[in-house]
Amino acid sequence: MSETLQHIVIVFGILFGLLTLAAGLIWIERRLLGVWQNRYGPNRVGPLGIFIVLADMIKIFFKEDWIPPFADKKVFVIAPTIIMFVVLMSWAVVPVAPGVVVLDLNVGILFFLAMSSIGIYSTVLAGWASNNKYSLLGGLRMSAQMFSYEVFMGLSLMGVVIMAGSFNLTDIVNAQKNMWFVVPQFLGFIIFFIAGLAESHRLPFDMPEAESELIAGFHSEYSGMKFGMFFVGEYVGVTLISAFIVTLFFGGWHGPVLPPFVWFFLKMMFFICLFVLLRAALPRPRYDQLLSYGWKILLPLALLNIVVTGGLVLAFE
Amino acid sequence: MTTVFYIASAIALLSTIMVITRYNAVHALLYLVVSFVSIALIFFVLGAPFIAVLEVIIYAGAIMVLFLFVIMMLNLGEVAVQKEKEWLPKQMWIGPGILSGILFVLIVYTLFQGEPQWAIVDMIGPAEVGAELFGPYIIAVQLAGLMLLAGLIAATLFGKRVKFKEKKEKEDS
């Protein structure tokens, strides 16, 4: 009984922590962007402006939730729920600390990849159901972008899988006790990072939204909490990619002195801040450049990484 | 686990029927995705998590997104829905309905003949699947690889030919 109780506590703990973090990221991102762009950012409401999160939430809950009459209503409503569902499901396999994981699945990495490939539907369907040419263009861009980047996102992780000998994330973290995988798998890390950036469609790769070209792209027609779901889904997606980078390449919860959970959190926050920094620092590439960069450079590199890693592991065994 | 299996199967059947009966192509496609996910769940329940996850990644994720991409490019609207309605009149359903009805009766009959023998041996992990694929089934893997390579080469050729044509047109003009 106590084990079941413990499990329930873990499930709700991670869910609650995650949603709080995602809401907090609204403030963190805007403040950090302010710092890096030499301005203040939101600093009026509460200490350092942190209550802007509450104000934003109140605003978004009380906005009129409007479905355009020309939209495909059912699909329009389903689309934003998919992204929330998928990112929260993916978090189920992330081990936060020893034993603190919702679902200790023996195909953990593949489960994450499966969920992220389902996640494409959210934006693509949103773009299609809105029945608006800008949204449709955003949806089309999204499907091509996610589809190409998903291929080597999976391939870039295989080096880690070869070295750890398991798809289970807890095993992978334990295999990094002596050396983080970022050292032998540096190439894999870089490729995964870029692919993760494209998957979560954050700024250097936010072609599906591209305010200046597509007026927010796939979610132009969304308002109120439906837009909020895309918004929160994106932030949870960023935490998810950061958490995976930490788990797969930076030793997960391993670290001296501090408790495991704190190490995991600190490492994850570092990568979240890096995501924000990239948003502040990099311009958006052209769309065809993005795709040819993916297929012509990153894909061969990911394949090379697998071959070399596999060969070396075989040679030294 | 038996209950999960039956529920997942029922969802798979229902969603597949919905795929066939929808007039709107995108709605049909969404039901197909649901069908694939429920089939993945069946695999999972039967002790094959690796295949289950691959089913979601490859069929529900990759291939269906390509379909969706194409349907979105075609931009089918109300006209296409009307056309589908004309192609699928009510009388169309009589023949397939009777045939699948007989099949359904047969399935129910066999189910009530006796308790089905559940072949849940163990959970078969990714390592075992890999060892099987690259052991006794290596030829099948290589043949599949060859086929995909052929497809890849063909696709590259199609991409190239457009460029060649453009060049020729430029030279001609």
Side-chain angles (χ1 to χ4, degrees), chain B residues 140-161:
Chain B
V141 174
Q142 285 182 333
L143 282 179
L146 268 180
M147 202 176 76
L148 289 177
L149 185 68
L152 193 70
I153 292 171
T156 337
L157 195 69
F158 281 135
K160 280 258 156 63
R161 196 168 277 172

Side-chain angles (χ1 to χ4, degrees), chain A residues 44-238:
Chain A
R44 297 286 138 167
V45 201
L48 291 171
I50 196 162
F51 291 144
I52 190 81
V53 175
L54 280 179
D56 263 350
M57 265 152 89
I58 291 170
K59 183 189 79 177
I60 224 161
F61 273 115
F62 284 91
K63 258 189 177 175
E64 186 187 354
D65 195 358
W66 190 65
I67 300 175
F70 46 81
D72 187 320
K73 289 199 180 56
K74 282 180 210 151
V75 182
F76 191 84
V77 175
I78 291 172
T81 58
I82 295 175
I83 187 86
M84 280 301 281
F85 173 78
V86 156
V87 284
L88 289 178
M89 281 286 278
S90 302
W91 257 95
V93 290
V94 178
V96 178
V100 184
V101 55
V102 178
L103 188 65
D104 202 14
L105 207 61
N106 65 346
V107 285
I109 290 187
L110 292 174
F111 182 81
F112 159 68
L113 291 174
M115 282 299 127
S116 73
S117 67
I118 293 284
I120 303 179
Y121 286 110
S122 177
T123 42
V124 175
L125 289 176
W128 179 80
S130 299
N131 218 346
N132 163 332
K133 59 188 164 197
Y134 297 108
S135 303
L136 186 70
L137 276 175
L140 279 178
R141 284 182 176 195
M142 192 65 196
S143 56
Q145 173 179 331
M146 298 265 280
F147 188 71
S148 3
Y149 276 71
E150 202 182 80
V151 173
F152 51 80
M153 181 181 217
L155 288 177
S156 66
L157 296 181
M158 290 310 127
V160 171
V161 174
I162 291 171
M163 295 200 68
S166 171
F167 281 113
N168 184 315
L169 287 162
T170 314
D171 289 351
I172 289 173
V173 173
N174 283 329
Q176 300 178 68
K177 210 161 198 169
N178 299 321
M179 182 170 56
W180 292 355
F181 279 153
V182 68
V183 183
Q185 282 295 318
F186 188 70
L187 195 61
F189 161 64
I190 295 290
I191 296 169
F192 181 75
F193 187 77
I194 295 172
L197 213 58
E199 283 281 312
S200 56
H201 48 94
R202 295 280 301 169
L203 191 83
F205 297 129
D206 74 335
M207 260 64 73
E209 290 172 44
E211 293 90 344
S212 47
E213 309 158 24
L214 294 182
I215 336 172
F218 65 88
H219 58 58
S220 325
E221 300 290 349
Y222 281 84
S223 59
M225 205 44 219
K226 288 200 194 70
F227 167 74
M229 275 168 127
F230 280 124
F231 198 55
V232 176
E234 187 183 316
Y235 280 122
V236 181
V238 170

Side-chain angles (χ1 to χ4, degrees), chain B residues 105-118:
Chain B
V105 171
L106 284 181
I107 290 170
V108 172
Y109 176 71
T110 37
L111 279 181
F112 280 98
Q113 276 304 57
E115 269 301 296
Q117 296 295 312
W118 287 103

